Amino acid sequence: MVSKDSIVALSSGRLPAGIAVVRISGPKTRFVVETMVGAVKDRFTTLRNLRAPDGSIIDHGLVVFFPGPGSFTGEDVAEFHVHGSRAVAARMLETITGFEGVRHAEPGEFTRRAFLNGKLDLTETEALADLVNAETEAQRRFAMRNAEGAQSELYSSWRRRLIHARAMIEAEIDFADEEDVPGSVSEAVWSDVAAMIGEIEHHIQGFKAAEIIRDGFEVVIVGAPNAGKSSLFNALARREAAIVTDEPGTTRDLLEVVLDLNGIRVRIVDTAGLRETTGKVETIGIERARAKAGGADLVLLLEDMVDPQSVGEVPTGAPLLKIGTKADLQSEHRGAHDMVISSKDGSGLSGLLDEIGRRAAAAIGDAGDVLPSRLRHVELLKEAKDFLAGALSGQSHELRAEELRLATDRLGRIVGVVDVEDMLDVIFSQFCIGK
């Protein structure tokens, strides 16, 4: 794709900063660079005075020019590394957009041009967005693996197998009377299609682990009023994130804090105390608490060992840890508790964090697994699997070949080798301006 205009944006972080990186891509890039700093050697970083067209010096900094197609976007690209003040960055952008044919970039437009120029496919593009937004080591590893093409290769390999299967089946249809087209080819084709259905089903099951990597392992704290939920929440957050009083019903809404446990994002949620109440607001809080527990990855059911109170049934399909609290006030640990803690003196908290971290690590599984990282992947994979199942059960070669074609199309949509224009705006809008 040849762009008619060039785009420019600040591609570094929030200002002020030590350095600001201004990136430009498109047909006017070389002209802008040579006008502002003179001729530079391709792919070499050069220290120059950066001048406006009237000759005034804006700043002095580093300049590097990448000629297309050997650049990130596939077009001519340049970067100006200047002092990171708001004034310098603003003057640079004002000057560069003053050139005819140069405009400010839209969110994700650099990456969109890379995709349209064949430098990235859609799964690599989405992985790049994940890498930019990664906050934990697990997120970084997951995004980096996909950015290097692990997802793309898996989906493309399935697609290649289906294209081969279609070719074999269509050959039988078109050349059924020819001696050099063996009729036994169908048996091998349908055996591979059946195997692929199993592979896709197994892959889809990994989406839960991918969600945990990207969104976090959710731990919900529940218990009776004054069981020590908010005290534990504050102790894990290491700050006064929740109000703690002796008055029952203090916490009425969901509170959340995010932890990084051994490189895994973990979301701790504090909830309203579970009890029978006539208060309308507190009742809503209790209903939210029960609903949140129902969708959690792990539930911590807290019980005050000094004054245990029944909370009734806790609706959850997730693993549940029964935690005895206020160990500093209770010398004898009565009741069946998986762990006992004291948020006041900190006893048992490190063990609890270790257990949460262990369960979070188990939930995401092997870091080397290739997982579907987007809901759109899962939806298209399910459609592909359904078409493959239809092909296996079909009655005629013609209809079965069509089912294979539709399955191939769905796999192609994941990586972007078929028309996916309707998805592009959504995908690239997730990026920052300079990416």
Side-chain angles (χ1 to χ4, degrees), residues 17-324:
I19 296 292
V21 178
V22 178
R23 176 186 286 174
I24 179 173
S25 176
K28 288 288 186 176
T29 300
R30 186 181 291 274
F31 176 74
V32 171
V33 169
E34 292 182 348
T35 301
M36 295 184 69
V37 305
V40 295
K41 189 174 181 179
D42 295 352
R43 302 182 183 281
F44 277 77
T45 304
T46 309
L47 180 63
R48 293 288 179 85
N49 286 328
L50 309 177
R51 297 179 182 272
D54 63 5
S56 61
I57 296 177
I58 301 172
D59 195 7
H60 59 276
L62 300 175
V63 183
V64 59
F65 176 78
F66 304 94
S71 68
F72 172 70
T73 64
E75 306 171 331
D76 286 350
V77 173
E79 290 182 356
F80 301 93
H81 296 225
V82 297
H83 292 94
S85 75
R86 292 187 178 90
V88 169
R91 181 68 172 129
M92 285 290 296
L93 292 172
E94 180 185 11
T95 298
I96 294 173
T97 54
F99 287 89
E100 185 178 355
V102 183
R103 60 174 174 79
H104 290 286
E106 297 175 358
E109 192 168 4
F110 286 91
T111 307
R112 182 169 186 150
R113 291 190 177 198
F115 167 73
L116 294 175
N117 287 322
K119 309 298 286 188
L120 301 168
D121 66 26
L122 279 185
T123 55
E124 291 167 337
T125 296
E126 291 166 328
L128 188 58
D130 287 342
L131 187 60
V132 169
N133 294 319
E135 297 177 339
T136 67
E137 177 61 15
Q139 290 174 336
R140 184 199 65 79
R141 290 197 308 266
F142 181 57
M144 194 67 223
R145 180 167 172 76
N146 290 334
E148 291 177 339
Q151 273 184 332
S152 177
E153 176 53 34
L154 176 63
Y155 301 146
S156 296
S157 69
W158 284 336
R159 186 170 179 271
R160 288 193 296 268
R161 285 162 63 183
L162 285 183
I163 290 173
H164 174 74
R166 286 171 55 199
M168 294 298 98
I169 296 303
E170 290 172 9
E172 280 202 355
I173 295 172
D174 295 337
F175 305 104
D177 298 331
E178 300 291 333
E179 294 182 358
D180 58 348
V181 180
S184 61
V185 71
S186 290
E187 184 177 344
V189 166
W190 299 123
S191 176
D192 188 51
V193 168
M196 200 180 308
I197 290 175
E199 294 169 20
I200 292 174
E201 286 178 340
H202 177 74
H203 180 68
I204 290 172
Q205 290 171 5
F207 183 56
K208 177 60 177 177
E211 282 187 308
I212 290 174
I213 293 173
R214 296 182 67 234
D215 301 330
F217 183 79
E218 187 173 72
V219 180
V220 176
I221 304 172
V222 298
N226 290 339
K229 299 183 301 300
S230 294
S231 295
L232 174 60
F233 182 75
N234 288 342
L236 296 179
R238 297 185 179 181
R239 60 185 175 87
E240 294 299 313
I243 298 173
V244 178
T245 72
D246 293 331
E247 180 183 343
T250 301
T251 301
R252 297 189 175 189
D253 207 349
L254 303 176
L255 301 176
E256 181 176 305
V257 67
V258 176
L259 306 180
D260 184 339
L261 296 184
N262 300 321
I264 302 173
R265 191 173 194 258
V266 175
R267 302 194 335 265
I268 308 293
V269 182
D270 186 20
T271 65
L274 304 181
R275 65 168 179 170
E276 295 295 330
T277 180
T278 57
K280 182 179 295 186
V281 175
E282 189 179 354
T283 298
I284 293 173
I286 292 171
E287 290 173 353
R288 289 181 178 178
R290 293 186 180 277
K292 196 68 172 176
D297 298 308
L298 175 65
V299 173
L300 304 182
L301 176 57
L302 272 56
E303 183 179 74
D304 182 350
M305 295 189 295
V306 177
D307 182 22
Q309 301 291 326
S310 174
V311 297
E313 184 180 356
V314 178
T316 178
L320 185 145
L321 281 177
K322 191 171 183 181
I323 310 295

Side-chain angles (χ1 to χ4, degrees), residues 343-403:
S343 300
K344 185 174 182 179
D345 64 20
S347 62
L349 292 184
S350 62
L352 176 58
L353 283 172
D354 289 343
E355 180 64 15
I356 293 172
R358 185 189 68 78
R359 289 173 181 259
I364 67 174
D366 187 349
D369 290 343
V370 180
L371 308 174
S373 57
R374 291 290 193 283
L375 181 59
R376 77 171 191 92
H377 300 175
V378 173
E379 291 172 344
L380 289 168
L381 287 167
K382 286 181 178 178
E383 290 181 21
K385 180 173 70 71
D386 290 343
F387 286 128
L388 292 180
L392 277 182
S393 61
Q395 299 301 312
S396 70
H397 278 350
E398 288 81 2
L399 292 177
R400 299 174 88 182
E402 175 63 11
E403 297 278 13

